[in-house]
């Protein structure tokens, strides 16, 4: 079947993905004779949609997965989705709100049923989108963090850790969301710079007329103060340490204490201490044995521990009342505008309240030591290695992990309470009941702890729960191949919340690290380096890049959910500016190539659709090159008969040699997680060398060579192209499959799919440095002739004769030079004729176009070239005159620089001779 004239990504993608999937190409294998390679997909939220960060990360994972599959390894790319406790519960609660009801009215059982229904309805959206990108996960093994095997594993982990004394229940300070009524993790808290105030309040000493002035941004929390702290070396207050002050409005006496935590330069150097509503104060309070007075209810209203005048008031209303009363008492010393970092819940946007609450915790000291040792010993390696420092800093300052959440959607904590509040933990009620009975107590089935576990708790176990744990038989078979996995690719923002916890828990339960490498990928930003945000109008849906979208649809989609007003107007302006005609359809391959090319080891990457356009052009170029090869090779002798004579020109040997180098460079890039260098090597080989030079040279050989030479050229054309398609497949899978199916039979390659074809291994013995030097000479002479044509203003179709003065053996280059530089003929001469014709001087020789010239214009051209060479000589002389360079650089580098200097001087001498002739 003939290859279509133009590349249509949509049709090709729609055909090949189902082809691969239906033939089981993505499934993990367990062949003991082959090495194993595996990657754990960071599980996206089950009800989420694919964003640019996902698409970037998954492209890198798929590149590595396809590469190792082609290298013959047993490969597992383990997919899964996360139940995303808070995020998913909020979605369903909003739906109920629109229906005029609530989860409270529905009740827990019915509400959870409703969430499961929503999950079944929308839960496969993101995995469908991953398929569009080309993700070759083993979908037959897809998990959900609340499916039965994972739920069993979570319960088993909880029970074992509790039995080991590593899980306990206690009252601690947590991030509390007063809207969602749950504790939230640090990751779910976003600190935003906001305008606030800094109040200086007077606290009178209990004796005399003196007072201390404290600085605070939260005056309402003074109702829970239990001390005033100063620095022990602050001479202003050293005489007051140990005295008591009378807490205004609450009429309680609290001590003045000394602690090095206090910053003498901030405010007045006196700090009010509220241990129950500030994390730093909590630590200080614990050190000094201070009372911890919780003054807020779970919905952030003043409770019974506050003075009666403020009870029932929302915390921000209480702030106004407290300040008014302090003003009346003359206790507000001053107030100043102040920029503060406000902690807000990512889910509800509420200001997070540090709250003393009964929660379940994991003791982390022992876990942290094991996690630190795993990285220090090299069992797990961070790439780039700077992220190991971040990992270490977090674990060295670890706190016990709060794992309970006051939600209904999630893994319910397997604990039941006796009437006196004693908790009994079990894998089921019967086991907990037996433990209660042994302690002389009784529990009821309806006395189960209502809280659920932190989402990060269940996702911390996926490295081993997805391999069958706690089923020892399944685990024994699978861990042999896929534990530890080969690499985890993830963002730096979850190094602690997910990466560290996987390392610690996997070590604890299996004795093995979960992965050998952790590659921390860059964060995707827009073309201007700004964070992507809906309110800015700079977010991009990866599927819109693949399929295209009109401006009208893009505006409607991108501003959906934004309130009318400044944000929406700004977003619309940005979208119209950046995408005046919408987004063109680039296809999955162009998007993947863009991601690979942008994947440096930096912290961020700037995604620019212009790059995507360039890689779509690359795909078109590869398509058109394949059409040319097929037109010249189909139905013809491509050298499959080993007995037929084959003659290879220096150009044929050159492209084969360059292929070996490209194969090595691409493999090295993948090996080092330098996807950008691998993509560049691929691009330069295909575009610059195979398409721009070899195909053009092959036309010469096919038109005028002997039968053996033409056979050699056709064989080289088809074999190099077939190997190139295999080389490029991990990055651009769809187009390479389509083209390989047409090319492979002509190259004698067997197999149903390029996806399972052998990865091309470089063969050093095929590197031909003599052929590479010959083509370098041909390129230099061709480019010189082309530049002369351009400078003389010759029309593309105007062919003129040329004289070439170069080293012996140049005659074999002339047919190529004539065709590539559009010359009517090319003649080798021992010395260029005396003429006013333009001459280009290269390191390989001189080229003269035999045309009439404008003497003044030619002198001007030569003068520019002489000035350029003078500049190059000056730079080379300066470098070689730098003792530091000469001493530190490799001898080969110094010699190369000396050769460049000699070449520049020789060229300058020739140019000056031409100028003298024209003078």
């Amino acid at each position: 079947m003939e290859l279509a004239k133009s590349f249509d990504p949509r049709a090709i993608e729609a055909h090949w993905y189902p082809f691969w999937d239906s033939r089981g190409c993505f499934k993990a294998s367990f062949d003991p004779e082959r090495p194993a390679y595996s990657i754990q997909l960071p599980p996206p939220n089950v009800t989420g949609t694919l964003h640019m960060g996902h698409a970037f990360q998954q492209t890198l994972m798929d590149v590595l997965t396809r590469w190792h599959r082609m290298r013959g390894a047993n490969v597992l790319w383990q997919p899964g989705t996360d139940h995303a406790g808070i995020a998913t519960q909020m979605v369903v609660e909003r739906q109920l709100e629109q229906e005029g009801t609530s989860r409270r009215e529905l009740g827990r059982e019915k509400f959870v049923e409703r969430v499961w229904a929503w999950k079944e309805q929308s839960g496969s959206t993101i995995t469908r989108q991953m398929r569009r990108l080309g993700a070759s996960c083993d979908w037959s093994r897809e998990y959900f963090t609340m499916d039965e095997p994972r739920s069993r594993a979570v319960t088993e982990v909880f029970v074992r850790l509790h039995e080991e004394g590593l899980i306990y229940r206690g009252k601690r300070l947590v991030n509390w969301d007063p809207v969602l009524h749950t504790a939230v993790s640090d990751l779910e808290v976003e600190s935003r710079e906001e305008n606030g105030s800094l109040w200086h309040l007077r606290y009178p000493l209990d004796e005399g007329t003196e007072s201390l002035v404290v600085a605070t941004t939260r005056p309402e929390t003074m109702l829970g103060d239990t001390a005033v702290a100063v620095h022990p070396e602050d001479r202003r207050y050293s005489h007051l340490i140990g005295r008591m002050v009378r807490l205004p409005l609450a009429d309680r006496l609290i001590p003045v204490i000394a602690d090095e935590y206090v910053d003498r330069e901030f405010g007045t150097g006196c700090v009010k201490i509220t241990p129950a509503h500030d994390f730093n104060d909590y630590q200080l309070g614990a050190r000094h044995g201070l009372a911890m007075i919780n003054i807020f209810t779970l919905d952030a209203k003043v409770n019974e521990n506050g003075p009666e005048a403020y009870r029932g008031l929302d915390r921000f209303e209480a702030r106004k009342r407290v300040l008014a009363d302090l003003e009346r008492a003359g206790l507000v010393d001053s107030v100043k505008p102040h920029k503060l970092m406000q902690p807000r819940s990512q889910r509800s946007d509420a200001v997070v309240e540090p709250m003393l609450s009964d929660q379940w915790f994991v003791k982390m000291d022992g876990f942290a030591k094991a996690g630190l040792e795993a990285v220090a010993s090299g069992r797990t390696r961070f790439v780039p290695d700077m992220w190991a420092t971040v990992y270490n800093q977090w674990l060295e300052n670890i706190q016990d992990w709060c794992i309970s959440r006051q939600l209904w959607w999630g893994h319910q904590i397997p604990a039941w309470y006796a009437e006196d509040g004693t908790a009994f933990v079990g894998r089921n009620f019967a086991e907990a009941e037996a433990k209660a009975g042994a302690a002389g107590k009784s529990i009821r089935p309806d006395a189960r702890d209502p809280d659920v576990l932190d989402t990060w708790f269940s996702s911390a176990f996926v490295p081993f729960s997805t391999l069958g744990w706690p089923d020892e038989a399944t685990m024994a078979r699978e861990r042999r191949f896929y534990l530890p996995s080969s690499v985890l690719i993830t963002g730096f923002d979850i190094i602690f919340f997910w990466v560290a916890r996987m390392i610690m828990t996997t070590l604890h339960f299996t004795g093995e690290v979960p992965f050998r490498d952790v590659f921390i990928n860059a964060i995707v930003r827009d073309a201007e380096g700004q964070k992507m945000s809906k309110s800015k109008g700079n977010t991009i849906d990866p599927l819109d890049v693949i399929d295209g979208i009109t401006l009208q649809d893009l505006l409607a989609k991108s501003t959906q959910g934004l309130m009318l007003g400044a944000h929406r107007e700004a977003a619309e302006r940005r979208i119209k500016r950046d995408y005046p005609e919408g987004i063109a359809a680039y296809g999955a391959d162009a998007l993947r190539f863009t991601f690979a090319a942008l994947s440096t080891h930096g912290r961020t990457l700037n995604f620019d659709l212009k790059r995507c356009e360039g890689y779509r052009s690359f795909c078109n170029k590869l398509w058109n090159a394949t059409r040319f090869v097929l037109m010249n090779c189909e139905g013809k002798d491509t050298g499959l008969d080993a007995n037929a004579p084959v003659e290879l020109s220096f150009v044929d040997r050159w492209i084969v040699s360059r292929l070996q180098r490209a194969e090595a460079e691409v493999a090295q890039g993948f090996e080092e997680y330098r996807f950008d260098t691998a993509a560049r090597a691929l691009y330069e080989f295909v575009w610059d060398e195979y398409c721009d030079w070899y195909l053009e040279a092959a036309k010469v050989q096919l038109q005028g060579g002997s039968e053996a030479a033409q056979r050699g050229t056709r064989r080289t054309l088809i074999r190099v192209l077939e190997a190139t398609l295999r080389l490029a497949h991990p990055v651009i899978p769809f187009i390479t499959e389509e083209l390989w199916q047409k090319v492979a039979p002509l190259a004698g390659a067997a197999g149903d799919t390029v996806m399972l074809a052998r990865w091309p291994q470089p063969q050093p013995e095929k590197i031909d440095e003599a052929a590479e030097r010959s083509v370098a000479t041909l390129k230099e002479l061709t480019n010189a002739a082309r530049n002369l044509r351009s400078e003389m203003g010759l029309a593309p179709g105007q062919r003129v004769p040329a004289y070439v003065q170069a080293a012996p053996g140049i005659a074999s280059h002339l047919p190529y030079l004539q065709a590539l530089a559009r010359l009517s003929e090319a003649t080798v001469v021992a010395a260029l004729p005396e003429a006013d014709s333009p001459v280009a001087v290269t390191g390989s020789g001189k080229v003269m176009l035999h045309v009439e010239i404008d003497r003044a214009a030619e002198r001007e051209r030569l003068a520019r070239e002489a000035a350029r060479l003078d500049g190059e000589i000056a730079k080379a002389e300066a470098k070689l005159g730098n003792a530091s360079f000469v001493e530190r650089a490799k001898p080969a580098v110094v010699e190369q620089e000396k050769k460049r200097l000699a070449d520049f001087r020789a060229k300058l001498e020739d140019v000056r001779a031409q100028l003298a002739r024209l003078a």
Side-chain angles (χ1 to χ4, degrees), residues 267-377:
T268 62
C270 294
V271 182
K272 57 186 285 302
I273 303 300
T274 320
H277 295 288
D278 182 278
F279 286 100
N280 292 319
D281 290 5
Y282 178 82
Q283 298 292 335
L284 189 150
R287 285 197 297 274
H288 293 270
L290 299 178
M292 300 193 182
I293 303 173
N294 180 13
I295 61 165
F296 293 130
T297 62
L298 297 182
D299 51 1
K301 293 178 180 176
V302 178
N303 65 16
E304 70 281 1
N305 292 328
E308 189 173 352
Y310 309 103
R311 291 174 190 168
L313 293 179
D314 174 79
R315 55 187 164 163
F316 299 117
E317 185 59 37
R319 175 181 297 179
K320 295 175 185 175
R321 184 81 63 86
V322 163
L323 286 170
D325 290 348
L326 289 172
E327 285 278 8
R328 277 194 292 273
L331 296 175
V332 177
D333 193 64
S334 66
V335 58
K336 299 174 184 175
H338 180 71
K339 293 277 188 185
L340 71 157
M341 299 305 294
Q342 189 79 278
R344 289 189 176 271
S345 169
Q346 285 184 343
R347 303 302 178 186
S348 68
D349 202 44
V351 174
V352 168
E353 185 63 50
M355 187 82 76
L356 271 177
S357 175
D358 287 317
Q359 303 287 346
W360 290 89
F361 296 88
V362 179
K363 291 181 181 178
M364 297 305 295
D365 287 351
F367 281 107
K369 287 175 185 175
L372 287 166
E373 191 278 332
V375 172
S377 66

Side-chain angles (χ1 to χ4, degrees), residues 700-726:
V700 175
Q701 297 173 176
L702 292 174
Q703 289 167 4
S706 66
E707 184 178 341
Q710 290 189 29
R711 183 182 296 114
T713 296
R714 282 194 293 270
R715 189 181 80 171
T716 305
L717 275 169
I718 202 74
R719 287 189 179 183
V720 171
L721 177 58
E722 189 274 335
T724 301
L725 294 173
R726 284 185 281 132

Side-chain angles (χ1 to χ4, degrees), residues 135 163 221 228 291 295 340 343 370 422 438 579 592 597 637 746 771 803 858 862 875 899 904 919:
E163 289 174 345
T221 62
V228 172
I295 61 165
L340 71 157
T422 305
Y579 316 110
R592 289 170 61 107
D637 185 355
L746 299 177
Y803 296 106
E858 180 63 3
L862 290 170
K875 284 192 285 187
K899 184 178 182 305
F904 288 140

Side-chain angles (χ1 to χ4, degrees), residues 384-547:
D385 60 5
M386 64 178 180
W387 293 111
T389 304
V390 175
Y391 170 88
N392 290 339
Q393 287 172 346
W394 272 333
L395 291 196
E396 286 163 0
N397 296 282
I398 201 164
Q399 302 292 322
D400 285 356
W401 176 14
C402 175
I403 56 171
S404 47
R405 297 291 181 269
Q406 289 63 53
L407 302 171
W408 286 357
W409 173 244
H411 297 100
Q412 192 170 352
I413 289 173
W416 288 260
Y417 293 97
E419 287 187 5
D420 65 357
T422 305
F424 294 93
V425 171
R427 292 167 181 81
N428 48 51
F429 175 72
E431 185 173 297
E433 187 177 34
K435 289 181 179 179
K441 299 182 186 294
S442 63
I443 57 173
R444 299 191 316 273
D446 62 355
R448 185 170 182 174
D449 193 310
D451 290 356
V452 300
L453 290 162
D454 179 11
T455 297
W456 296 106
F457 187 78
S458 54
S459 60
F461 317 137
V462 293
F464 53 97
S465 69
T466 54
L467 298 180
W469 192 92
D471 184 327
E472 294 299 336
T474 306
M475 185 70 179
R477 168 180 174 261
E478 301 214 342
R479 71 176 291 171
R480 174 184 168 194
F481 290 88
Y482 298 124
L483 188 73
S485 64
S486 307
V487 63
L488 177 75
I489 297 181
T490 190
F492 67 79
D493 52 339
I494 56 174
I495 288 175
F496 176 67
F497 297 99
W498 191 47
V499 179
R501 286 165 177 169
M502 283 192 288
I503 292 174
M504 293 185 287
T505 57
T506 306
L507 279 167
H508 187 83
F509 287 100
T510 72
E512 188 55 85
V513 292
F515 23 73
R516 293 187 182 91
D517 286 351
V518 181
F519 176 60
I520 302 298
N521 60 262
I523 300 298
V524 182
R525 298 194 181 277
D526 71 7
E528 298 171 6
Q530 294 184 343
K531 184 177 179 180
M532 289 190 173
S533 160
K534 198 164 190 175
S535 62
K536 292 179 183 175
N538 64 349
T539 58
I540 305 174
D541 183 336
L543 292 192
D544 291 341
V545 179
I546 293 173
D547 295 331

Side-chain angles (χ1 to χ4, degrees), residues 877-891:
E877 286 176 338
K879 187 177 283 189
L880 290 169
N882 183 338
S884 177
F885 168 75
V886 175
E887 290 168 6
R888 295 182 181 181
K890 294 179 180 178

Side-chain angles (χ1 to χ4, degrees), residues 784 839-843 845-847 865 906-908 910-911 914:
V839 176
V841 181
T842 75
K846 303 175 187 177
V847 179
E865 177 65 3
K907 289 178 188 177
L908 181 60
D910 280 329
V911 168
Q914 292 178 64

